[in-house]
Amino acid sequence: MKFDFWKELNRELDEAWRELRFAWRRAWVGLRNALRRARPGRLDYVVLPLSGPLPERSGPPRGFWQRRFLPPEPVSLQQLNGWLRAIADADNVKGVVFVLGRLSPAGLATVQNLRRSLQRLREAGKEAIVFTPNLDLTHYYVASAGSRIVVPPSAQFELLGLRVEAVFLKEALARAGVEADILQISPYKTAGNMFDKAEMTPEQREQLSWLLDDNYEHLSADIAADRELDQATVQGLVDRGPLTAAEALEAGLVDDLAYEDELPFLLYDGDGAAAADSPEGEAAGEEKRPRARLRSWSRAGPLLMEKARLPLGRFVGVVSLEGMIVAGESQQPPIDLPLPFVGGLVAGHETINRLLRRAERNKRMAALILHVDSGGGSALASDLIWRQLQRVARKKPVLVYMGNVAASGGYYAGAAAQHIMCQPLTLTGSIGVLAGRFNTDGLYERLHVTRTVLSRGKHATLYSDVGPLEPGERELLWKTISTVYDQFLEVVATGRDLSREQLEAVAGGRVWTGRQAIAHHLADSHGDFVDAVEKVAGLAEIRVAAHQMLPVANLHGPGGGFRLPLPFRPSDYGALVETYRRLYQQALLLFPLHLRWY
């Protein structure tokens, strides 16, 4: 009885403290809103320029020197969704004007995430105006989610379709005296085809065809629904392309033709008189006409009305697994070079597991989201990450949120999660293994370079580039990849609650879109990162009231978990060569599929 009394007393004290904190927050927010109402002028739209890769999560906080001497970080979807949440809360703004620059190299799932952000803004009762001079499929797919599309009269509508391109290097390597010897667990595990095939295999053609078919059907269906057109009509307009801006307007693909400086006049809806002061960017002496007030985020942010929300005591943690998966620490090469397999993030199992152990120990962390955007890499490193994620999942809910690609080792690592969420256009699956090596004897001979190798041990040169694989060596490699493949199947079958027969039908290196993955029980639901947070909160049985907010925290290692590029020094050559050699050895495990948009 005494225990129940103290437990009830603690609960009542906690509730009273929360009410006091919320009352203080309401008062403080109310004061700030009163000061904003007292300021002269009005705000109609916030202008948000968007361009670049739009990474899902913001990077680690930068130090003093990094902020001043490194290039600015690109706007992330995390940052964008924070802005849009504030705009959705404000009752003194009509909406947002999105000015789309070059969204490159944003992937398919990233584009869908951006569309979801626009849709969520509209669901909150705000307008999402999109101005874009670019009308290829990437930009138009985003723009179609807006409430109004404005393009310059000189723009050209260039939805020409979707194509995939595969390159085969066997004959080119042979001319250089290099021969690739690839062992793959299935003809659908096609990552090595570019090195040991002279043309596309029937299995690769079949796989690329089902990816293209599903992507094209999904893209055209979304555009048709957004523009209130028939899907066949949209596909017919794609086949007619390119179209002029006037033809696109006539076909109902865009809403207005105007230049960017005409937006304030175009968006004026008769509410209020002509502006007394010049809006941003207006030339002196320009005719005074009624116009909507457009403000950049830096000027609009301090003017937006707020809603009082109290953060919960528990939070959702986020660990990002991005780039090639390798054994060791996460890193970036010391410099960016235009060479294959160099550049971009490298996810090391030691760094990722260190963050996962922090998540496992943190009692305030209610749940974990593992954000995966990786085509795979080292089977060993992927297994070690999977094991640590399994340990976390025993203590708290774990959700895997897939980015543009979560395939091969990227899928393996997340198979221990209770829930897997992706976008319909995420590339996933590739449950398979391959191994291989190059024989460079012919290259050395052409260069008139003499190479002499001394070894001890029958298989000392198994992983070298000296000579072709002997039959016994091929058997050894096949035994190795068969063992890894069996383990891969066991991990996925257990994590996804599938029989071996069910899994074999969709494994074997086959790659799927996110929509196909759900049909094959490899994923559970579609959504963007905001949807993932809501889902994992439900798994953790966290109820978030309208006046509350659930904090989300990115977990980064020391120095952000990645080495930032530094000024290049001559002493870096050794590290550069070693980095390139290691990444090149891992490159065959990646899925080299490049979807090109037009």
Side-chain angles (χ1 to χ4, degrees), residues 346-596:
V346 175
H349 86 279
E350 293 180 7
T351 303
I352 300 299
N353 281 356
R354 191 157 52 244
L355 300 178
L356 292 177
R357 285 191 289 270
R358 281 173 52 189
E360 181 185 5
R361 294 191 299 265
N362 195 314
K363 295 182 179 179
R364 287 187 57 235
M365 186 185 296
L368 174 73
I369 295 176
L370 179 68
H371 167 230
V372 180
D373 203 335
S374 170
S378 165
L380 171 62
S382 300
D383 181 65
L384 296 176
I385 295 172
W386 166 82
R387 173 59 179 171
Q388 185 56 47
L389 191 70
Q390 186 185 53
R391 289 176 54 87
V392 178
R394 292 172 181 170
K395 294 186 177 181
K396 60 191 68 179
V398 174
L399 181 145
V400 164
Y401 173 70
M402 296 179 173
N404 295 299
V405 181
S408 194
Y411 187 84
Y412 185 118
Q418 289 97 327
H419 192 93
I420 295 178
M421 181 178 289
C422 62
Q423 284 287 19
L425 299 182
T426 295
L427 285 178
T428 188
S430 193
I431 300 170
V433 186
L434 59 78
R437 45 164 278 190
F438 293 96
N439 170 19
T440 60
D441 282 354
L443 175 62
Y444 278 80
E445 184 178 345
R446 282 174 168 77
L447 296 175
H448 300 283
V449 174
T450 301
R451 176 169 56 172
T452 303
V453 178
L454 303 178
S455 65
R456 299 294 184 271
K458 184 176 180 181
H459 302 297
T461 60
L462 178 64
Y463 299 118
S464 75
D465 60 346
V466 178
L469 282 173
E470 300 295 336
E473 293 176 327
R474 291 184 64 85
E475 292 177 7
L476 285 174
L477 286 180
W478 182 257
K479 178 183 176 182
T480 299
I481 66 173
S482 296
T483 301
V484 173
Y485 183 57
D486 286 339
Q487 183 178 355
F488 200 159
L489 291 177
E490 181 64 26
V491 163
V492 176
T494 302
R496 300 301 302 164
D497 194 21
L498 295 171
S499 68
R500 190 66 171 256
E501 293 73 21
Q502 288 176 297
L503 188 56
E504 284 280 10
V506 299
R510 295 172 177 86
V511 178
W512 309 100
T513 66
R515 187 163 64 166
Q516 293 167 335
I518 287 183
H520 295 314
H521 307 289
L522 298 178
D524 299 297
S525 63
H526 294 320
D528 69 346
F529 192 85
V530 176
D531 298 318
V533 173
E534 293 177 356
K535 179 63 182 181
V536 81
L539 294 177
E541 299 181 350
I542 297 176
R543 302 178 65 180
V544 184
H547 68 280
Q548 295 175 322
M549 59 179 292
L550 177 61
V552 178
N554 298 331
L555 274 66
H556 299 292
F562 298 97
R563 300 177 191 167
L564 291 171
L566 299 174
F568 187 67
R569 304 178 299 272
S571 60
D572 288 327
Y573 277 107
L576 176 62
V577 171
E578 174 61 23
T579 298
Y580 183 83
R581 184 192 64 79
R582 181 168 49 79
L583 293 179
Y584 188 76
Q585 288 178 343
Q586 296 291 340
L588 294 181
L589 298 176
L590 293 176
F591 182 74
L593 175 66
H594 303 285
L595 291 175
R596 302 200 174 185

Side-chain angles (χ1 to χ4, degrees), residues 84-106:
L84 297 184
R85 175 66 178 270
I87 293 169
D89 282 349
D91 58 10
N92 64 330
V93 64
K94 295 177 181 178
V96 177
V97 176
F98 297 93
V99 180
L100 298 188
R102 283 290 176 185
L103 299 177
S104 177

Side-chain angles (χ1 to χ4, degrees), residues 177-441:
V178 178
E179 179 184 2
D181 202 336
I182 308 296
L183 287 78
Q184 57 200 63
I185 204 69
S186 161
Y188 290 96
K189 187 72 174 179
T190 59
N193 285 10
M194 66 182 297
F195 300 111
D196 73 336
K197 299 291 188 297
E199 60 183 18
M200 189 176 292
T201 64
E203 292 81 7
Q204 186 173 12
R205 184 178 299 276
E206 178 189 3
Q207 181 165 264
L208 294 180
S209 294
W210 76 53
L211 291 173
L212 277 173
D213 289 342
D214 195 60
N215 285 339
Y216 190 57
E217 196 280 331
H218 187 84
L219 291 165
S220 58
D222 281 352
I223 291 172
D226 289 336
R227 299 303 300 175
E228 298 181 354
L229 297 170
D230 184 74
Q231 185 175 3
T233 300
V234 171
Q235 293 181 354
L237 290 169
V238 171
D239 292 338
R240 282 176 50 196
L243 306 175
T244 65
E247 290 172 328
L249 178 64
E250 182 181 0
L253 295 171
V254 301
D255 298 294
D256 297 285
L257 305 184
Y259 292 101
E260 188 173 356
D261 61 280
E262 296 177 304
L263 289 175
F265 308 108
L266 180 68
L267 298 179
Y268 179 71
D269 60 2
D271 181 18
D277 58 322
S278 298
E280 297 175 29
E282 182 182 355
E286 188 169 319
E287 179 188 359
K288 298 294 184 180
R289 290 186 288 160
R291 63 179 67 84
R293 291 302 183 98
L294 277 58
R295 293 287 182 263
S296 63
W297 171 257
S298 61
R299 293 189 61 184
L303 303 176
L304 296 175
M305 299 297 176
E306 299 179 66
K307 285 186 179 179
R309 284 195 172 89
L310 189 66
L312 296 174
R314 304 172 75 193
F315 70 97
V316 171
V318 182
V319 173
S320 288
L321 192 163
E322 299 177 273
M324 184 186 297
I325 301 173
V326 300
E329 296 286 351
S330 299
Q331 61 179 301
Q332 282 184 316
I335 59 172
D336 286 330
L337 291 177
L339 297 174
F341 316 121
V342 174
L345 300 178
V346 175
H349 86 279
E350 293 180 7
T351 303
I352 300 299
N353 281 356
R354 191 157 52 244
L355 300 178
L356 292 177
R357 285 191 289 270
R358 281 173 52 189
E360 181 185 5
R361 294 191 299 265
N362 195 314
K363 295 182 179 179
R364 287 187 57 235
M365 186 185 296
L368 174 73
I369 295 176
L370 179 68
H371 167 230
V372 180
D373 203 335
S374 170
S378 165
L380 171 62
S382 300
D383 181 65
L384 296 176
I385 295 172
W386 166 82
R387 173 59 179 171
Q388 185 56 47
L389 191 70
Q390 186 185 53
R391 289 176 54 87
V392 178
R394 292 172 181 170
K395 294 186 177 181
K396 60 191 68 179
V398 174
L399 181 145
V400 164
Y401 173 70
M402 296 179 173
N404 295 299
V405 181
S408 194
Y411 187 84
Y412 185 118
Q418 289 97 327
H419 192 93
I420 295 178
M421 181 178 289
C422 62
Q423 284 287 19
L425 299 182
T426 295
L427 285 178
T428 188
S430 193
I431 300 170
V433 186
L434 59 78
R437 45 164 278 190
F438 293 96
N439 170 19
T440 60
D441 282 354

